[in-house]
Amino acid sequence: MASGGDSPGDVSSDWAATSLVDLTSPELAKASTSTMDSGEDFEVLDDEEEDDMSGLPPLEDVPASKTTVAKDDAQGSTSEQPSEEGSEAVEEWMDILGSGLLKKKVLVAGQGRETRPVKNQDVTIRLKATLEDGTVVEEHPSLTFTLGDCDVIQALDLCVQLMEMRETALIQSDPKYCYGSQGRSPDIPPDAALSLEVELLEAKDAPDLELLSGKEKVELANRKRERGNFHYQRADYVLAINSYDVALKVIGSSSKVEFSPEEEAELLDVKVKCLNNLAASQLKLDHYEAALRSCNQVLEQQPDNVKALFRKGKVLAQQGEYSEAIPILKAALKLEPSNKAIPWKWLFGATAVALGGVALSVVIAARN
């Protein structure tokens, strides 16, 4: 079963309009008007200059020891202790990362620190997102996502873990932790800061992966993979890698449920797509050894997977291992006529680079 492939053009441009809504929740995934990709593995074979990664939002944990509280100068408020009833507002800003780029203020106190959610739990929140001019760009009475899985913007992932049950908070986020320099067409412009009003409604442990049926595992892994595709299309390669890793963890988890042969085949198909996309993301970050491992895992399952062969040959050629790269690229070239996802020019160009490198090495050796 050869892996399918979405080229970058095949992944729907509607991804750019994906909302803050969680893509791991089956109910919300069905309700969302955003168009998911076609279920195929997208392909990256362009050889353009690597994107500048300096502006990408890092995966950051909340540094509890460095979390500071800054007084709200505009309100001139003083610190107040949350009441036992949870109805008293605490009018102070918490500087989440110590940089002033992500701040949280309690509007309605919650039920105590012991009720805070933890990573990998499924949380449900009420959300209202606005631009600096007050324009409402997102509103959800009940939004569910897995905390820490990069299913939503980082501002939510980082701040919700510091909220107490039934707490209502106002979050002010720099564009870096929202939609960055690309924005979200048509309602969020590039480099737009957001204000998020959030109420934590529920937090519960995610479903036990061992008890999921084959169909449920396929659906969950695909939703995580699709979120990875979304991050990839926005050049958020670190976040894409995280999403693909989560999907692979779902697929690789042990199970107490028997799967049908068809479900096993579907899981393998999703695994191959995730590994191919993971390799593409790793290549964008010049993580060659990691990309090589991902390609090898694909080829263990599907020795004739053209994308994995091409990427493996590309990695080896870039590492100067031309004698190893050439037969792999030749194998991919031989298989290419039956797979239109890979243009001849890329295979030919990569092979030419490899052959050129070998020729140069021979000349240098001869001169010495």
Side-chain angles (χ1 to χ4, degrees):
M1 174 179 61
S3 168
D6 319 341
S7 66
D10 294 330
V11 177
S12 171
S13 61
D14 287 342
W15 270 112
T18 299
S19 67
L20 304 176
V21 70
D22 165 57
L23 297 179
T24 67
S25 166
E27 295 80 4
L28 290 171
K30 291 178 182 178
S32 174
T33 57
S34 299
T35 303
M36 300 299 181
D37 69 12
S38 61
E40 298 292 322
D41 175 33
F42 66 84
E43 183 53 72
V44 182
L45 295 175
D46 52 305
D47 200 23
E48 76 267 20
E49 293 295 322
E50 298 296 331
D51 297 320
D52 180 11
M53 305 303 299
S54 61
L56 289 181
L59 282 175
E60 300 180 75
D61 290 320
V62 177
S65 62
K66 294 184 179 179
T67 301
T68 59
V69 176
K71 182 176 292 185
D72 181 1
D73 294 329
Q75 298 294 330
S77 59
T78 57
S79 175
E80 296 178 316
Q81 295 297 323
S83 68
E84 292 184 2
E85 293 77 18
S87 61
E88 185 177 4
V90 180
E91 298 183 2
E92 286 189 344
W93 284 105
M94 177 184 291
D95 189 349
I96 304 300
L97 301 172
S99 62
L101 299 180
L102 184 62
K103 299 188 296 181
K104 166 184 169 289
K105 181 169 71 172
V106 176
L107 301 180
V108 177
Q111 298 174 352
R113 293 175 63 91
E114 68 277 4
T115 65
R116 287 181 176 181
V118 296
K119 285 187 176 181
N120 301 318
Q121 282 191 316
D122 286 347
V123 297
T124 301
I125 64 172
R126 175 183 61 80
L127 172 69
K128 181 179 180 181
T130 59
L131 299 175
E132 290 180 302
D133 64 4
T135 302
V136 177
V137 293
E138 195 101 25
E139 197 161 13
H140 296 286
S142 180
L143 186 157
T144 301
F145 60 95
T146 304
L147 196 58
D149 273 11
C150 300
D151 295 332
V152 291
I153 59 173
Q154 280 194 285
L156 287 175
D157 242 347
L158 292 169
C159 291
V160 170
Q161 61 186 287
L162 292 174
M163 293 182 64
E164 301 169 5
M165 195 58 57
R166 308 307 298 189
E167 174 185 325
T168 299
L170 181 63
I171 298 167
Q172 289 189 350
S173 176
D174 183 83
K176 180 177 182 180
Y177 302 103
C178 299
Y179 288 94
S181 60
Q182 295 187 47
R184 189 191 70 187
S185 179
D187 52 356
I188 300 179
D191 298 313
L194 288 182
S195 291
L196 311 170
E197 183 178 307
V198 180
E199 180 184 1
L200 180 57
L201 303 175
E202 183 182 29
K204 61 182 180 180
D205 292 337
D208 187 343
L209 296 179
E210 290 188 337
L211 300 179
L212 294 181
S213 68
K215 180 181 179 181
E216 289 171 330
K217 268 197 174 182
V218 169
E219 290 176 349
L220 178 57
N222 261 327
R223 285 195 296 271
K224 300 297 184 181
R225 177 184 64 84
E226 288 162 352
R227 188 63 180 177
N229 291 359
F230 166 71
H231 290 309
Y232 187 96
Q233 294 301 311
R234 296 180 63 83
D236 292 341
Y237 304 120
V238 174
L239 302 186
I241 287 172
N242 184 83
S243 293
Y244 296 137
D245 280 338
V246 171
L248 289 167
K249 179 182 176 182
V250 171
I251 296 168
S253 61
S254 59
S255 180
K256 296 179 180 178
V257 180
E258 291 292 329
F259 298 156
S260 68
E262 292 78 12
E263 290 171 334
E264 293 281 5
E266 284 186 86
L267 284 168
L268 177 59
D269 186 53
V270 178
K271 179 180 180 179
V272 167
K273 290 173 181 176
C274 288
L275 287 168
N276 265 329
N277 295 355
L278 180 61
S281 303
Q282 291 162 336
L283 277 171
K284 284 291 186 180
L285 297 175
D286 295 336
H287 294 171
Y288 296 129
E289 291 300 326
L292 195 60
R293 287 194 296 270
S294 298
C295 292
N296 284 336
Q297 289 183 65
V298 173
L299 296 171
E300 287 173 7
Q301 304 293 331
Q302 297 179 358
D304 290 339
N305 188 286
V306 180
K307 300 185 184 98
L309 285 169
F310 175 83
R311 291 197 183 102
K312 182 175 181 178
K314 181 179 178 180
V315 168
L316 291 171
Q318 289 178 325
Q319 291 180 322
E321 303 293 340
Y322 301 113
S323 59
E324 293 183 54
I326 290 173
I328 293 172
L329 291 168
K330 283 183 176 179
L333 184 60
K334 184 177 180 180
L335 292 167
E336 198 281 332
S338 64
N339 191 326
K340 296 181 180 180
I342 298 183
W344 274 82
K345 64 178 182 178
W346 293 112
L347 288 172
F348 179 79
T351 305
V353 170
L355 291 172
V358 171
L360 180 61
S361 298
V362 170
V363 172
I364 294 174
R367 287 183 176 179
N368 292 337

